[in-house]
Every structure is written in structure tokens, then in C-alpha cells.
């Protein structure tokens, strides 16, 4: 398991204006979303040994998962929670060679352990199960199993389960807060199919019943939603890249009739990996390699086995999310989903409420890749362009402990928050050091937003608490209110959380931008502009500006 640094868990309790949320949550939501329930808190996953036979003819699966764990504290109830969603059924559970009794509570099973569970002991419980797993309704957004065919009518089977949960198709401790140190994924499919999954292929076994078992192994910690099935009529070719930690293997798995298209499009992975290693540090999974695997849905960040379904074209299935044209110069899925190898897979949000740590940084990575290709101004133009997708409908951070996320703004608003902080830092090498430092400090760990905030603020050299509160916990966009009298600029922040004091660059003279430090109180600055209409705020900050005009009978900086 990627252990959390407990000392960094304290959240500030200052009152913050939040958008109203009408969500209601149930006992089932708590079982799914909380790490501290009695059936979960006392044990730590160390290894999953997953074996699943997949039957496309009746859309069913059958298998087992050996769950090895370390006892953190003796369990008062001797119950261990294992998650597996309806309509899948558990056939039996076995520990120490003995059958274990269990009870079901919705999508959770509770093993009634008879054997002693002393602190520090390492134990294994094996769960045998079967059924027809929930079919994906709108993958990857609403996932499950996708049973489909390629354009030649051949069977194609893949899985997606981010947010929904890996327990939609295999039994596990379904929380992002606890990851195994390694995992075996042994998948059995009809001989006509080739399965590609996470990590490296260790063994292929042809069975007498017309099936083949592909045994993949991941030697690093891995979040459960990253484990995936991709079974189809695949071709394979490979390459290598000389990266920061040596030779990285690159493996590409298109459908057999898309090899030439893949060779043209997947070459972008090389420049992307070099760019991200420059900004974020070494690719996190050299031991497990890097793969791109064609899938029928748009894509997903399956660790060391990135799912790709972008039709071998630039943009996001032909669209530019920034509206600038820059997003059509590179393949969105290769870039965005691969960025998750650093933010999402190596650095994993402990709670779904903090999923912006995955998506905001991956969105920001699109900006950085644009910058790597076309320069700093182009990167900035791209991320600024993505603001058109921000709704400010609810806060980015969702409710904790119930497997719920916040606003979809976690993508473009999260990226623009990071771009804004880069302006506050004001030193690109220092900012790069912060991004690399995050990956070094939280390498292969689960984290909270609080840890990310504190790290960035500490290494930026200023308290960014109010900046994070503003953009993550409210729907308010800061407004720089100003009015100009002669050669004096009067300014302040409005529409902000109490104590908001973010510096911002504005045009005080014709020679470029200068930094001012507004608060909620009116301040003044000297203007040296030939035309007051030339005053503007640097668009690299995600703020708005409003000329409020001088107050009646203005005296000094007072305002009624």
C-alpha cells in the first residue's frame, strides 16, 4: 500500500462560501467511499493475485482473487470487507486452507474470520466468484464491461471502472486509499483473442478447452481502477526510449488492421514522454514499461497500459477543447491519459473527492506539452482557451468518504489554477522544481489535497491557502475591481474568500506588466499609461476585471 503521511491531514476549518450541493448519501455510499470503516481500517493490502476467465459468448466471468494483507491493528469484529458489485456472486472464501463464512451488504461482502489476526501478521484470503458483470453504459464515463466487435465483426472485450470502482468486475478492497505493492493479472480468453493488461507479460498458456491464459505482472503499487482487460485481435510492435532512468520499453497494441495508422500516430508518445520527464521527473513505471492499447471507447489512464481510442487523429476525436487550434496539433488521448502516469497513477488521490489531483494536473500537462512543442506563449494560449469549458456549477472538491467527486471543472479549472499559481511563483525553473518535487516526494503514494496544497505553498515560498480555497472550494471567480483617477489606479479584490490576497500582474506603464498585491481593501498604485484605456490584467491569471468607476465624492481611497 502507498502509505499516507498522517501529519499532513489537517484541513483548515475557516468558513468558506460554498455552492449549494443537494446530494444525499446512503449507507452503501459510506461502505464504498470510506477508508475508516470497521471492515477496512485494520488491514493493508500488499498483493492481489487475480485470475479471471472471460466468456464473451454469454458475457460472463468466473475467477478468484487472492488478497494478501498486513494486519495493522487487531480487528474488534474479526470482519474484513471485500467489495464486489451486484450482480456478481461470491461462491466461497478461503483462508489458511479453511472455508470462511461471509455475509453480504449490497455491493460489499464481510468475511467472518475465525483465524487469529495479530498485529503485524501477513495473511491471505482468496475469494472465488462468478456472474455476468454490469455492462458499461457510457464508457469510460459510466463503466463496466464492454462486450463489442471490431469493424470486421470480431469479438472485442475491454473494461473501464474509474469512479464506479474495480469491484464492478473483481473482488478487492475498492478504495483508492489502499494499493497493493504488486499484482498478478491472469486472464483467460478464447483462443481467437489476445489479452493485453498491465505490467509485463510473464507467461502465455494454451488450454485444452480452446482458451488461452495471459499472465501479466505489475511489480509496482497500482490503483485498482487501473487494472484492465483488453482482449481483441491485436497486433504488436515495440520501441525503446532513453529516459531519465535509462531505457524505457514502449509497446504498442493496435488492432491488426490499424498497424500503419498506429505507427504514424503513436510516434507522438516519444516527444510526450520526453516533455513530461522534463517537467515532472522520471516516468514512474520503468519496471513495468509503457504501453498504448487500442480500445473502442475514447481512452483511460490504465497504469502502464494506457487505453487509446482517439481514432488515430489529433485533437480529442477531432475537436480542440481550447478553441485555439493548438489542440489539433497533437493527440489529446496520448497526452492527457499518459500524463496520468504521474498524476493519478503514481500520485493517487486517496479519496474520490480529491480527484482534481488527477484531472487538474493532467489538464495542465496538455498546456505543458503544447509549450514543449510550440513555446511558452502557445502553451499559455491553450490553457487559457480551455476556460471556455468551465461552468462554475459547484466546487471542484466533492464530499469526502462517500466515493463522490465535485464539479467536472476539475479538468479546465484545475489546469487554470495551476497555470495561475505558476504566475504567482514567477520563476519557471522554480515552478518546474515544484512539479518534479511533487513527483519525487509523493512517488507511488496516495495523497490528499491538503498535502498537495502544503507542498506547493511551502516550496513556492508563500501561503497559498486562500488561492486553493478560492478555486477548489468555491465557484467564485476573483474580480479585480478598479477605477482610475488621473494617474492613480485604485484597486481591490471582490468576489473572493475572506483574506484573499493573491498578487496579480497588471499594466501600470507602457513597458509591460507589473505585480500588484490587492486585498479586499482599496489600495492605490501610480499609473504611467498614456491612455488609461490601455490598463489590463494579465490573462494568464484566471480572474476577471471590472472598472467600477470612481465613487461619488471620492476622497483618497475611501469608498462608500
Amino acid at each position: 500500500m502507498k502509505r499516507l503521511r498522517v501529519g499532513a491531514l489537517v484541513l483548515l476549518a475557516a468558513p468558506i462560501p460554498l455552492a449549494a450541493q443537494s446530494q444525499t448519501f446512503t449507507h452503501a455510499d459510506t461502505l464504498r467511499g470510506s477508508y475508516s470503516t470497521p471492515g477496512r481500517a485494520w488491514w493493508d493490502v500488499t498483493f492481489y493475485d487475480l485470475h479471471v476467465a472471460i466468456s464473451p459468448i454469454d458475457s460472463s466471468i468466473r475467477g478468484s482473487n487472492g488478497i494478501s494483507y498486513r494486519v495493522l491493528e487487531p480487528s474488534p469484529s474479526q470482519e474484513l470487507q471485500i467489495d464486489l458489485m451486484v450482480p456478481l456472486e461470491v461462491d466461497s472464501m478461503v483462508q489458511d486452507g479453511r472455508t470462511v463464512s461471509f455475509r453480504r451488504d449490497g455491493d460489499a461482502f464481510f468475511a467472518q474470520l475465525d483465524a487469529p489476526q495479530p498485529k503485524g501478521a501477513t495473511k491471505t484470503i482468496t475469494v472465488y466468484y462468478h456472474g455476468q458483470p454490469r455492462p458499461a453504459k457510457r464508457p469510460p464515463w459510466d463503466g463496466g464491461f464492454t462486450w463489442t466487435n471490431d469493424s470486421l465483426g470480431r469479438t472485442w472485450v475491454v473494461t473501464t471502472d474509474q469512479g464506479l470502482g474495480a469491484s464492478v468486475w473483481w473482488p478487492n478492497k475498492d478504495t483508492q486509499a489502499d494499493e497493493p505493492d504488486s499484482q498478478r493479472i491472469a486472464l483467460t480468453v478464447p483462443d481467437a483473442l489476445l489479452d493485453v493488461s498491465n505490467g509485463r507479460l510473464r507467461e502465455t498458456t494454451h488450454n485444452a478447452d480452446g482458451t488461452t491464459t495471459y499472465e501479466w505482472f505489475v511489480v509496482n503499487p497500482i490503483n485498482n481502477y487501473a487494472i484492465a482487460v483488453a482482449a481483441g485481435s491485436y497486433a504488436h510492435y515495440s520501441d525503446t526510449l532513453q529516459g531519465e532512468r535509462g531505457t524505457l520499453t514502449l509497446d504498442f497494441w493496435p488492432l491488426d488492421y490499424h498497424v500503419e495508422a498506429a505507427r504514424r500516430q503513436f510516434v507522438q508518445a516519444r516527444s510526450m514522454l520526453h516533455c513530461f520527464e522534463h517537467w515532472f521527473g522520471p516516468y514512474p513505471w520503468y519496471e513495468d514499461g509503457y504501453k498504448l492499447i487500442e480500445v473502442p471507447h475514447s481512452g483511460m489512464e490504465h497504469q502502464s497500459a494506457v487505453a487509446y481510442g482517439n481514432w488515430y487523429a489529433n485533437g480529442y476525436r477531432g475537436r480542440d477543447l481550447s478553441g485555439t487550434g493548438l489542440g489539433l496539433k497533437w493527440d489529446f488521448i496520448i497526452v492527457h491519459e499518459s500524463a496520468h502516469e504521474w498524476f493519478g497513477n503514481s500520485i493517487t488521490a486517496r479519496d474520490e473527492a480529491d480527484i482534481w489531483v488527477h484531472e487538474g494536473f493532467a489538464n495542465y500537462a496538455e498546456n505543458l506539452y503544447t509549450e514543449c512543442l510550440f513555446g511558452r506563449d502557445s502553451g499559455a494560449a491553450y490553457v487559457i482557451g480551455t476556460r471556455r469549458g468551465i461552468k462554475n456549477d459547484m466546487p471542484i472538491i466533492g464530499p469526502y468518504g462517500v466515493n463522490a467527486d465535485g464539479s467536472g471543472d476539475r479538468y479546465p479549472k484545475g489546469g487554470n489554477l495551476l497555470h495561475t499559481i505558476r504566475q504567482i511563483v514567477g520563476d519557471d525553473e522554480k515552478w518546474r522544481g515544484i512539479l518534479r518535487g511533487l513527483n519525487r516526494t509523493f512517488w507511488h503514494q496516495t495523497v490528499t489535497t491538503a498535502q498537495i496544497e502544503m507542498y506547493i505553498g511551502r516550496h513556492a515560498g508563500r501561503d497559498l491557502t486562500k488561492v486553493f480555497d478560492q478555486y477548489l472550494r468555491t465557484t467564485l471567480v476573483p474580480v479585480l475591481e478598479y477605477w482610475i483617477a488621473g494617474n492613480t489606479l485604485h484597486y481591490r479584490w471582490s468576489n473572493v474568500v475572506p483574506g484573499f490576497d493573491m498578487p496579480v500582474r497588471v499594466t501600470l506603464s507602457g513597458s509591460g506588466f507589473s505585480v500588484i498585491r490587492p486585498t479586499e481593501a482599496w489600495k492605490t498604485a501610480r499609473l504611467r499609461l498614456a491612455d488609461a484605456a490601455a490598463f489590463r490584467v494579465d490573462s494568464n491569471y484566471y480572474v476577471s476585471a471590472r472598472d467600477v468607476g470612481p465613487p461619488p465624492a471620492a476622497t483618497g481611497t475611501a469608498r462608500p
Side-chain angles (χ1 to χ4, degrees):
M1 172 186 172
K2 298 195 292 191
R3 300 304 301 160
L4 192 70
R5 298 188 178 186
V6 177
L9 293 179
V10 179
L11 290 172
L12 298 179
I16 300 167
L18 300 177
Q21 297 188 44
S22 58
Q23 296 166 284
T24 58
F25 299 101
T26 66
H27 167 68
D29 294 323
T30 300
L31 286 181
R32 171 68 177 85
S34 175
Y35 178 70
S36 58
T37 54
R40 283 180 169 175
W42 61 273
W43 58 287
D44 169 27
V45 174
T46 59
F47 180 68
Y48 286 132
D49 192 5
L50 179 62
H51 297 254
V52 183
I54 298 168
S55 176
I57 195 168
D58 62 356
S59 303
S60 71
I61 61 176
R62 179 178 295 275
S64 66
N65 188 26
I67 304 171
S68 297
Y69 61 92
R70 183 181 302 108
V71 179
L72 302 176
E73 295 292 341
S75 168
S77 64
Q78 289 283 102
E79 281 197 328
L80 183 147
Q81 179 181 335
I82 298 170
D83 305 289
L84 186 67
M85 293 185 194
V86 173
L88 295 175
E89 295 285 351
V90 168
D91 301 314
S92 63
M93 298 186 188
V94 176
Q95 185 170 77
D96 299 334
R98 301 179 62 182
T99 300
V100 174
S101 61
F102 56 87
R103 65 181 178 88
R104 182 164 203 165
D105 186 347
D107 291 331
F109 289 81
F110 289 84
Q112 316 290 310
L113 302 176
D114 297 323
Q117 308 284 317
K119 181 177 180 178
T122 298
K123 308 284 286 183
T124 299
I125 185 168
T126 302
V127 182
Y128 297 87
Y129 74 108
H130 78 281
Q132 293 179 308
R134 164 182 160 158
K137 297 177 181 178
R138 192 170 66 94
W141 312 108
D142 192 353
F145 252 82
T146 295
W147 310 91
T148 190
N149 301 100
D150 64 23
S151 63
L152 299 182
R154 300 172 298 183
T155 300
W156 200 4
V157 182
V158 301
T159 57
T160 49
D161 51 55
Q162 184 183 16
L164 173 64
S167 58
V168 72
W169 70 277
W170 59 283
N172 65 92
K173 188 178 189 180
D174 205 353
T175 168
Q176 291 175 189
D178 195 354
E179 300 182 347
D181 301 322
S182 57
Q183 178 158 351
R184 172 159 50 188
I185 309 128
L187 297 173
T188 300
V189 297
D191 281 341
L193 302 179
L194 189 157
D195 173 73
V196 191
S197 292
N198 313 78
R200 297 196 184 275
L201 183 63
R202 285 194 167 180
E203 188 174 357
T204 301
T205 303
H206 297 285
N207 307 310
D209 62 354
T211 63
T212 302
T213 300
Y214 296 89
E215 181 184 315
W216 296 83
F217 201 95
V218 179
V219 300
N220 285 296
I222 187 166
N223 58 58
N224 53 9
Y225 78 77
I227 300 298
V229 174
S233 299
Y234 287 110
H236 171 244
Y237 68 96
S238 61
D239 197 357
T240 59
L241 178 142
Q242 294 305 308
E244 290 194 12
R245 292 182 61 199
T247 301
L248 173 63
T249 59
L250 312 178
D251 288 278
F252 304 104
W253 296 88
L255 291 179
D256 51 14
Y257 52 73
H258 280 157
V259 172
E260 291 308 312
R263 287 187 180 277
R264 289 192 301 270
Q265 195 71 4
F266 287 174
V267 70
Q268 294 186 38
R270 298 183 63 84
S271 58
M272 175 273 300
L273 287 164
H274 280 305
C275 176
F276 288 169
E277 284 208 328
H278 170 80
W279 279 103
F280 302 147
Y283 176 75
W285 319 110
Y286 271 73
E287 301 86 351
D288 293 317
Y290 172 86
K291 292 193 290 293
L292 280 174
I293 306 165
E294 185 174 356
V295 294
H297 58 82
S298 58
M300 178 55 65
E301 66 265 26
H302 298 145
Q303 183 174 313
S304 72
V306 175
Y308 174 87
N310 205 37
W311 303 337
Y312 299 101
N314 286 348
Y316 177 57
R317 291 197 161 181
R319 294 182 288 127
D320 173 16
L321 300 184
S322 76
T324 63
L326 291 162
L328 296 176
K329 296 179 181 293
W330 43 266
D331 191 307
F332 177 91
I333 291 298
I334 293 176
V335 172
H336 179 92
E337 304 303 346
S338 297
H340 283 307
E341 295 283 47
W342 285 264
F343 293 97
N345 295 339
S346 181
I347 301 177
T348 304
R350 180 179 172 90
D351 192 291
E352 181 72 12
D354 287 334
I355 204 69
W356 82 274
V357 174
H358 301 198
E359 303 301 351
F361 277 92
N363 176 278
Y364 183 62
E366 301 161 24
N367 157 27
L368 293 179
Y369 184 60
T370 305
E371 179 172 330
C372 283
L373 292 181
F374 307 113
R376 196 176 192 275
D377 289 347
S378 293
Y382 176 85
V383 72
I384 291 168
T386 65
R387 291 175 190 168
R388 67 183 192 155
I390 298 175
K391 297 180 179 178
N392 283 312
D393 54 348
M394 59 191 297
I396 289 176
I397 293 181
Y400 288 95
V402 288
N403 194 50
D405 50 31
S407 172
D409 285 349
R410 58 187 174 272
Y411 294 84
K413 190 175 180 181
N416 274 280
L417 163 61
L418 295 168
H419 186 64
T420 297
I421 293 174
R422 179 181 182 177
Q423 314 314 309
I424 299 170
V425 172
D427 180 327
D428 284 352
E429 278 307 301
K430 185 175 183 179
W431 177 237
R432 176 173 169 249
I434 289 172
L435 296 176
R436 291 176 66 93
L438 281 168
N439 281 278
R440 184 172 55 250
T441 301
F442 301 114
W443 179 265
H444 296 181
Q445 292 184 39
T446 61
V447 301
T448 64
T449 288
Q451 289 175 286
I452 299 298
E453 289 183 26
M454 284 187 280
Y455 183 92
I456 294 176
R458 183 167 65 251
H459 291 273
R462 62 171 293 123
D463 185 358
L464 295 172
T465 300
K466 298 300 182 180
V467 175
F468 283 110
D469 283 349
Q470 179 78 26
Y471 291 102
L472 296 179
R473 300 180 178 90
T474 84
T475 61
L476 306 176
V477 178
V479 176
L480 184 70
E481 293 186 339
Y482 70 93
W483 55 285
I484 296 172
N487 60 358
T488 301
L489 171 72
H490 302 254
Y491 61 92
R492 71 173 182 182
W493 284 124
S494 68
N495 206 41
V496 292
V497 298
F500 187 79
D501 60 352
M502 184 178 78
V504 65
R505 289 194 298 265
V506 300
T507 49
L508 296 179
S509 69
S511 60
F513 288 108
S514 301
V515 176
I516 60 172
R517 292 173 170 78
T519 64
E520 295 167 273
W522 286 100
K523 292 184 175 182
T524 61
R526 180 97 171 163
L527 279 178
R528 296 179 177 85
L529 292 172
D531 181 357
F535 174 80
R536 62 190 179 93
V537 178
D538 187 347
S539 60
N540 286 293
Y541 295 78
Y542 179 42
V543 301
S544 64
R546 182 168 63 237
D547 183 350
V548 296
T555 57
T557 61
R559 190 165 182 85

